[in-house]
Amino acid sequence: MLALRLTRVAQPAVHLRRLAVAAASAATGFLLLSALGHAMSHQDPAASTLRLTWCTAPLATTVYFAVAVARTDPGTKPRPGLSAIGLGPARLMITSALTTALATTLGSLLALVTFLHLRGDLTGVPFDGAATEYLATGQPLPLPATLTLLSLVPATASLSTALALRPKDPRSPGAPRKYGRFGAYGLAAARETFGAYGRFGRQVAGSRPAQLRAVVPPGAARVGAGGTPQAPGSATDPSAATPDAAPADVPDPDPPAPREAPRGLPWGITVLAAGLTVEAYASRTADPTSPGLLAGWALTALGLALAAPGLTHLCGRLLQSAHPGALRLLAGRVLMAESARIGRPLGIVCAVASAAYTTALVHDTEVQPLGSLTDLGALVVVGCTAATLLTAAVEAKQARADTTAALLRLGAPTAMLRSAAALRAGALLALFGPLTLTVAELAALPMAAN
């Protein structure tokens, strides 16, 4: 009931994302049912198995999109006070999984109704029987196989959502547990000295970089705790305080840089090289829809997804090199902080774009792994990957909302924030654009040689 209430009272943008998940689930379910219909109407087990195997690509992208939408759902975000009424992190995780299951189940039911309508089981055969090539018209559908195929997307999506949003230990992995006085858990590693109790009023914070202090125009009015403007240089002006003391009412607008870069870059390069090797070996066969080619594309996508967070972190570090100003410093820090969040969807988009470009380069090869429904499968893959990247961008914007609000309170112009966003997009395009073309050229080279 809670999942239904959260679904009903959500904002229009949230409803739109959930409807997109339902549409992707419907298209994927229809592809799975068409594979079943092909197996029933054609006595070719190898071709039917290959068609069902190629359905894993839209299935994987649909599940990935559903998880991304669940992560950006504001109705299931942990907030203060929810644990007191029984809505802790575990309960919210279950609610997110149930909400995802509702959206994907709606899509699966829509796929079943469409499939039965095209077969003529509801109101007669439409389109004069032109759409009954892979629908096994006139044969009864096996109920266990139909339910199994239709439950693949809801079960996989809800389970993946639960795993992605499960409550995590805030301690770093492998860190030893530390106990303070009277067995208190989770205290700082450094023990307090006796003199620390006399300094209870002191709050120490790191000073802001000089570049970000330049964001505030000279002579601009500052806002105090009560919302009243303060004159520059006054006794309550935060800039007049000592460098090592930060007021509690003005958040630090500097996004903290991650202490270490993502560690998946070497593994991503290795898996990417393995995927290109498998694609080159599979392209030697006469069948362009062989399972080896699908395995090579899957390894290539996995390698780019593993390497993209490290490349995004490196791109942010390069933006801050060579005496950066406030604009480049802000854009680079945001890229470094959001490298893990937007890196993986960006890597998947690069993999899909490189596969599409490879297919366009080898124009003389007719790659139709799903028959006449190949265009539908390609539309699901491309649409889900692009929508996942946009959803990750929305999640990143929600995550840095406090930093953006702090910058605006300090007097940062809105045009500078837009320029920083454009600079981040341009830097990512300059890095991942040539990478996508390079991967596509390497993948198409052995195919063109044959």
Side-chain angles (χ1 to χ4, degrees):
M1 294 301 296
L2 179 60
L4 290 175
R5 290 179 181 178
L6 292 176
T7 302
R8 182 174 56 87
V9 301
Q11 299 177 356
V14 180
H15 283 305
L16 183 61
R17 291 196 291 266
R18 290 171 179 168
L19 288 177
V21 171
S25 175
T28 304
F30 185 80
L31 290 174
L32 292 171
L33 290 179
S34 66
L36 175 63
H38 181 273
M40 294 173 58
S41 58
H42 296 78
Q43 302 300 324
D44 190 357
S48 301
T49 303
L50 181 62
R51 187 179 298 268
L52 184 61
T53 303
W54 274 94
C55 289
T56 56
L59 174 63
T61 53
T62 300
V63 170
Y64 195 47
F65 177 45
V67 173
V69 170
R71 291 174 62 94
T72 58
D73 192 348
T76 56
K77 293 288 185 181
R79 291 184 296 273
L82 291 182
S83 298
I85 59 175
L87 293 178
R91 181 73 180 274
L92 290 178
M93 178 264 295
I94 297 175
T95 304
S96 298
L98 291 178
T99 304
T100 304
L102 286 176
T104 51
T105 302
L106 176 63
S108 297
L109 293 178
L110 180 60
L112 178 61
V113 172
T114 305
F115 188 77
L116 294 177
H117 174 67
L118 293 178
R119 277 172 47 90
D121 295 338
L122 299 180
T123 58
V125 180
F127 307 115
D128 296 330
T132 60
E133 182 181 0
Y134 305 116
L135 304 180
T137 305
Q139 303 182 28
L141 286 177
L143 184 60
T146 304
L147 294 180
T148 301
L149 292 177
L150 288 178
S151 63
L152 280 179
V153 178
T156 310
S158 58
L159 181 60
S160 301
T161 301
L163 291 177
L165 301 181
R166 68 187 185 278
K168 300 178 178 62
D169 192 349
R171 297 181 298 114
S172 59
R177 294 188 178 181
K178 297 178 174 61
Y179 298 89
R181 294 178 177 85
F182 305 104
Y185 171 70
L187 296 181
R191 291 177 57 86
E192 302 93 340
T193 59
F194 179 77
Y197 293 97
R199 299 191 297 271
F200 60 90
R202 183 182 181 187
Q203 297 179 357
V204 181
S207 60
R208 300 186 183 95
Q211 291 86 348
L212 281 180
R213 288 199 297 269
V215 169
V216 183
R222 303 177 186 272
V223 180
T228 58
Q230 300 173 355
S234 60
T236 58
D237 186 7
S239 61
T242 56
D244 58 346
D249 58 335
V250 181
D252 193 352
D254 184 13
R259 295 183 179 180
E260 58 182 11
R263 301 179 180 179
L265 183 57
W267 288 103
I269 295 176
T270 304
V271 176
L272 176 60
L276 292 175
T277 304
V278 172
E279 287 185 31
Y281 182 78
S283 62
R284 300 170 56 185
T285 61
D287 187 8
T289 62
S290 61
L293 185 60
L294 177 62
W297 280 353
L299 287 176
T300 301
L302 179 60
L304 287 173
L306 290 176
L311 293 176
T312 305
H313 189 277
L314 177 62
C315 186
R317 187 175 293 276
L318 290 177
L319 277 179
Q320 302 176 74
S321 61
H323 305 287
L327 183 62
R328 285 199 293 133
L329 182 63
L330 181 61
R333 283 292 180 89
V334 170
L335 277 183
M336 293 173 65
E338 298 174 354
S339 58
R341 182 178 288 110
I342 66 175
R344 291 187 180 90
L346 190 58
I348 298 297
V349 169
C350 289
V352 173
S354 64
Y357 188 68
T358 302
T359 306
L361 287 178
V362 192
H363 54 84
D364 56 340
T365 302
E366 294 293 336
V367 181
Q368 297 288 331
L370 296 177
S372 59
L373 298 177
T374 301
D375 294 337
L376 178 61
L379 180 62
V380 172
V381 172
V382 174
C384 286
T385 51
T388 302
L389 182 59
L390 293 177
T391 306
V394 172
E395 182 186 5
K397 184 178 180 180
Q398 294 175 355
R400 63 173 184 272
D402 294 337
T403 301
T404 304
L407 284 171
L408 293 176
R409 283 197 301 268
L410 289 175
T414 309
M416 194 200 71
L417 300 180
R418 296 196 186 101
S419 300
L423 182 59
R424 293 195 301 269
L428 292 176
L429 183 61
L431 177 63
F432 285 94
L435 176 62
T436 303
L437 295 179
T438 302
V439 173
E441 291 285 351
L442 292 177
L445 187 60
M447 297 182 186
N450 294 333

